Amino acid sequence: MTASTRRAVSLIRSESTKFLAARSAVVLALITILATWPIAAMNAVSGVDLDPDDPRLFSAEPIPIEYSGFEMAGFGYVLVVVLAALWAGSEYGAANQIRTTLLATPRRLRVFLVKALLLAAAVAVIAFLTMWGTLVITHAAGATGIDPWTLNAAIWANLGGIVLAWTLTALIAFAVGVLARTAILPLVLVVPLVIGVGDLLAGFWDGAAYLPVVAGAALFTDPAAGVYLAPALGGVVQVAWAVVLLAAAAVSFARQDL
């Protein structure tokens, strides 16, 4: 193993330890997963015993089966944005831990990349476990006719879309936090988009469909809603947002004064 490889492995190990040792990260991950599942169960069973002509079944447009369960994404979506913001801002503040980090590893771009990749991996795992469990529960408890363990190709595609959307949104929040050197700005800018402000804007302004979170929603939301881009275009737009903001954050991180 070369000296460069050893340093890279040491950096990954130290940043991983730092991430896993952060109580807020572990708590947010557990809440995201374990709180979404019972909510999904309650939502799934709420309509099982209703009569076919019960007016409550017709109070809104029925959700196509391949999108059923994805309405549970909102709660966890907010929490992964919070996780990303805290990860971005954790090095700054009164302790100014970033000084110690860069003294140990002066190659700033490498530090930035490892931080971003660790966050992406963690959020992808959290997103998959949260929404896979949600879908299993939804189709098992709701008696939808879909095998909860095998699902189907369309549902798996939407599950992949939501994992990608959560991961890209977390990276966007991380990039904004690095640029601002604080967790506050990504919370102020990204969380409102996640909780529905972006969808609201898209309802009366076509340009809002190109906002990062709204574009990402096209990857797992029924296009019949009429406010989203085509799934492929939405994915490209959100990837573009993430790449541009991460590039800007990387340049800022490499040049910032400490």
Side-chain angles (χ1 to χ4, degrees), residues 20-233:
L20 295 173
R23 185 175 300 177
S24 58
V26 176
V27 170
L28 284 169
L30 290 175
I31 291 175
T32 300
I33 298 168
L34 299 180
T36 304
W37 291 352
I39 296 173
M42 290 186 289
N43 186 67
V45 302
S46 62
V48 170
D49 296 326
L50 295 179
D51 294 329
D53 59 349
D54 192 299
R56 285 173 289 177
L57 293 174
F58 304 94
S59 59
E61 289 295 323
I63 300 173
I65 197 67
E66 63 268 29
Y67 296 100
S68 182
F70 288 94
E71 69 275 10
M72 296 290 102
F75 176 73
Y77 210 169
V78 172
L79 294 183
V80 296
V81 171
V82 174
L83 173 61
L86 292 176
W87 181 234
S90 62
E91 297 278 9
Y92 304 99
N96 204 15
Q97 188 178 344
I98 190 64
R99 291 180 180 272
T100 304
T101 299
L102 294 180
L103 282 172
T105 309
R107 295 190 177 185
R108 296 186 177 196
L109 184 57
R110 180 178 290 180
V111 173
F112 178 86
L113 290 175
V114 168
K115 285 181 172 294
L117 289 173
L118 280 174
L119 176 66
V123 171
V125 171
I126 293 168
F128 178 81
L129 291 176
T130 301
M131 294 310 301
W132 173 77
T134 295
L135 295 172
V136 169
I137 292 168
T138 296
H139 293 290
T144 62
I146 296 291
D147 186 329
W149 299 109
T150 60
L151 302 176
N152 62 34
I155 294 172
W156 280 111
N158 288 330
L159 178 57
I162 202 168
V163 170
L164 179 60
W166 280 28
T167 303
L168 290 172
T169 302
L171 289 173
I172 288 168
F174 172 75
V176 173
V178 171
L179 286 167
R181 304 192 197 186
T182 177
I184 296 175
L185 190 60
L187 294 178
V188 171
L189 293 180
V190 183
V191 168
L193 296 177
V194 171
I195 62 176
V197 172
D199 293 346
L200 180 64
L201 288 174
F204 59 85
W205 174 44
D206 292 343
Y210 291 87
L211 292 172
V213 176
V214 184
L219 292 168
F220 59 90
T221 305
D222 183 5
V227 298
Y228 301 110
L229 302 172
L233 178 58

